[in-house]
Amino acid sequence: MSWDEAFAHSYEEWSAGMTADVPFYVALAREADGPIVELAIGNGRVAIPVAQATGRRVIGIDTSPAMLAQARDNAEKAGIELELREGDMRDLTLDEPASLIYCPFRALLHLPTWADRRRTFERVAASLRPRGRFAWNAFAFDPQIAASIDGRHQDEPVPHMVRFAVGEDRTDIVLDGGATSSLWWATKNEWLGLLDVAGLELESLAGGFKGEPVGGPGTEYVFVARR
Ligand SMILES: C[S@@+](CC[C@H](N)C(=O)[O-])C[C@H]1O[C@@H](n2cnc3c(N)ncnc32)[C@H](O)[C@@H]1O
């Protein structure tokens, strides 16, 4: 299982330190002239500021009922409306093409196989308006970081252990208590190959949310593509 429902109970705390991506996705959303979709919306951490900043129709897809319940509560508290749908990003279908589809916080890495990602990219391409954008971020696998944290218990942001299954291209984040979130990493060429097979065009690739160059230690790939 790539996303354990029990992980949802700690997600608010787990994601509290991740704020750098919000202005990036909000800026893209401001440039969108139609519906906006977040794949794997989680608790609405990014979608709520996006909806607040744009006033546009924001649709959020997620497989987890527990995460969708948190998104519903958080949107209500913020006084905004999100269209929340329980579903798998691999089966994305929309009643109206989107002008922006985005997927923050490495959530595409929850898809175990290249075929799962190909299917998702093809569904994204089919769901975008002409020249509509698809944006996502994912870490570049860094063997030095992996070696330094593999199997080491960490207390922050919530007590957990990270384990690397190198032969499987997989990182398991295991919270104390056992809730697990698994991520299957991908190389830059795999991401570019996915764009190619889906008929999408790369607009920009940075190594961080502020346009940092790709390649430094701890690189976070930040992709923007167009249909
Ligand atoms: C790391 S959270 C990201 C949540 C949110 N996008 C954010 O940036 O905070 C990952 C989310 O991916 C969802 N998820 C995992 N696999 C999925 C799939 N195949 N389709 C849709 N959602 C999925 C999980 O339920 C979880 O809410």
Side-chain angles (χ1 to χ4, degrees):
M1 178 185 278
S2 75
W3 178 265
D4 190 333
E5 275 297 84
F7 207 95
H9 304 306
S10 304
Y11 190 70
E12 204 89 36
E13 266 180 282
W14 178 262
S15 61
M18 175 48 80
T19 52
D21 56 351
V22 175
F24 172 80
Y25 288 109
V26 165
L28 281 179
R30 283 188 200 278
E31 290 172 11
D33 58 359
I36 297 170
V37 177
E38 180 169 334
L39 302 180
I41 188 170
N43 64 357
R45 185 183 66 82
V46 182
I48 290 169
V50 160
Q52 283 169 329
T54 62
R56 290 207 178 273
R57 184 176 176 209
V58 178
I59 299 157
I61 317 270
D62 204 288
T63 43
S64 161
M67 295 303 288
L68 288 168
Q70 288 182 28
R72 204 166 293 116
D73 283 355
N74 289 338
E76 204 177 299
K77 280 183 208 142
I80 56 120
E81 215 172 298
L82 296 174
E83 282 184 41
L84 296 170
R85 297 187 190 164
E86 188 177 330
D88 194 307
M89 58 176 126
R90 289 169 287 195
D91 302 325
L92 176 69
T93 42
L94 300 175
D95 52 12
E96 186 187 0
S99 56
L100 171 68
I101 300 178
Y102 67 98
C103 190
F105 213 177
R106 307 161 182 160
L108 287 173
L109 300 184
H110 291 310
L111 299 173
T113 68
W114 199 83
D116 291 319
R117 293 187 191 147
R118 174 182 52 72
R119 210 168 119 190
T120 304
F121 274 56
E122 286 173 350
R123 291 312 312 148
V124 165
S127 306
L128 280 172
R129 292 180 175 186
R131 306 302 293 157
R133 277 170 156 162
F134 178 39
W136 75 98
N137 65 282
F139 62 79
F141 177 66
D142 185 326
Q144 284 180 339
I145 294 177
S148 70
I149 62 174
D150 186 28
R152 196 159 53 84
H153 187 265
Q154 298 179 60
D155 289 327
E156 301 293 334
V158 284
H160 72 284
M161 182 108 87
V162 181
R163 291 196 182 279
F164 289 87
V166 175
E168 302 297 329
D169 300 341
R170 199 184 74 236
T171 302
D172 294 325
I173 302 164
V174 186
L175 303 188
D176 289 10
T180 303
S181 171
S182 295
L183 300 154
W184 284 261
W185 62 77
T187 64
K188 179 177 137 186
N189 273 333
E190 284 172 287
W191 293 121
L192 296 177
L194 286 160
L195 290 180
D196 190 42
V197 294
L200 295 166
E201 193 178 284
L202 181 68
E203 181 179 310
S204 63
L205 168 58
F209 294 107
K210 294 193 172 136
E212 296 90 332
V214 168
T219 283
E220 183 78 21
Y221 292 131
V222 181
F223 285 93
V224 181
R226 274 197 195 267
R227 192 183 133 187

